[in-house]
Amino acid sequence: RKEVEQDPGPFNVPEGATVAFNCTYSNSASQSFFWYRQDCRKEPKLLMSVYSSGNEDGRFTAQLNRASQYISLLIRDSKLSDSATYLCVVNPNTGGFKTIFGAGTRLFVKA
Amino acid sequence: EPEVTQTPSHQVTQMGQEVILRCVPISNHLYFYWYRQILGQKVEFLVSFYNNEISEKSEIFDDQFSVERPDGSNFTLKIRSTKLEDSAMYFCATGDRENQPQHFGDGTRLSIL
């Protein structure tokens, strides 16, 4: 099983749609979870941290299910500017601050 | 907003040569990281660095790689004898606390000929 696995995508959605991304992780001791976005040939940028209770930031909602080792990201009312690759990121708590990125899910939002 | 700064933005080097990639962290950050991303592939962890020593490294980070913080500000990644497969985007990232969100520099594109 891969350390961090994401939906392969790409997702093609119209503006205004709701889209959900899924991510699973293999190390049950993992402690910190994040969603980043990456635009083509640019650096990853933090979108949001993911907390056990779930959290929301405007149109974005992140959920964590520790029992299933599963993380999700929901984007409501998609905008053209949401087109990017969404990266699931996990700190597997191996003692030395290692950070594992998923392969990413590409989102295309079309007018 | 404070930024992580990386230099150079693009480095072209002959195979077998040594390269040094530089990063200036955000000033109060104590945790430093290097990642690489081969074109079209995922971001891969190379190494984490804290308290002037390596905290953890991946299988990719073999003997040809080294990191240091020589003057208390710059954080460098050295590749001793470059190979064609070292061609990638290299990102530096820094953080102010353990296992908290990292801030990325805009990367150095390394091209090995």
Side-chain angles (χ1 to χ4, degrees):
Chain A
R1 184 178 178 183
K2 290 181 182 175
E3 290 181 287
V4 177
E5 197 154 6
Q6 295 187 239
D7 290 332
F11 284 34
N12 291 281
V13 303
E15 269 188 297
T18 295
V19 59
F21 301 129
N22 301 314
C23 172
T24 56
Y25 59 95
S26 61
N27 187 338
S28 60
S30 299
Q31 283 194 332
S32 305
F33 310 91
F34 310 94
W35 285 101
Y36 281 72
R37 69 170 277 168
Q38 186 176 29
D39 293 289
C40 191
R41 294 178 176 258
K42 299 286 190 180
E43 74 276 19
K45 291 187 177 177
L46 178 70
L47 184 64
M48 56 198 305
S49 301
V50 186
Y51 302 119
S52 296
S53 54
N55 47 303
E56 188 173 307
D57 183 2
R59 298 182 293 109
F60 299 87
T61 300
Q63 298 278 353
L64 168 64
N65 184 323
R66 285 189 183 273
S68 302
Q69 295 176 211
Y70 168 91
I71 306 157
S72 65
L73 176 69
L74 186 76
I75 305 176
R76 289 180 299 279
D77 189 24
S78 300
K79 312 289 185 193
L80 294 176
S81 57
D82 293 333
S83 296
T85 297
Y86 289 83
L87 308 174
C88 176
V89 180
V90 175
N91 291 130
N93 194 26
T94 48
F97 322 130
K98 185 178 183 181
T99 305
I100 305 299
F101 280 70
T105 302
R106 189 79 171 88
L107 173 66
F108 295 94
V109 182
K110 299 187 176 180
Chain B
E1 184 178 322
E3 289 184 344
V4 177
T5 305
Q6 289 187 242
T7 56
S9 57
H10 191 191
Q11 174 85 43
V12 182
T13 302
Q14 292 289 328
M15 187 172 60
Q17 297 296 304
E18 175 182 285
V19 295
I20 297 175
L21 310 183
R22 291 182 169 81
C23 171
V24 177
I26 294 172
S27 63
N28 63 335
H29 285 191
L30 302 175
Y31 297 82
F32 312 113
Y33 309 81
W34 283 103
Y35 298 87
R36 80 172 185 191
Q37 187 173 32
I38 296 169
L39 188 63
Q41 298 187 23
K42 69 176 195 173
V43 176
E44 298 175 289
F45 171 82
L46 291 178
V47 66
S48 57
F49 188 88
Y50 170 71
N51 202 24
N52 282 321
E53 61 182 17
I54 290 174
S55 307
E56 192 161 0
K57 57 185 181 180
S58 71
E59 311 77 50
I60 303 168
F61 195 90
D62 61 21
D63 291 344
Q64 69 163 342
F65 291 91
S66 62
V67 290
E68 62 176 1
R69 201 168 174 226
D71 55 10
S73 60
N74 288 292
F75 177 51
T76 63
L77 174 69
K78 182 189 291 186
I79 309 175
R80 260 179 277 283
S81 177
T82 50
K83 304 171 190 165
L84 293 176
E85 55 264 37
D86 293 329
S87 295
M89 182 73 90
Y90 288 80
F91 292 111
C92 172
T94 73
D96 61 347
R97 287 170 290 161
E98 179 180 339
N99 291 334
Q100 290 303 304
Q102 297 167 27
H103 297 255
F104 281 73
D106 56 8
T108 293
R109 181 166 299 283
L110 178 62
S111 300
I112 306 301
L113 305 179

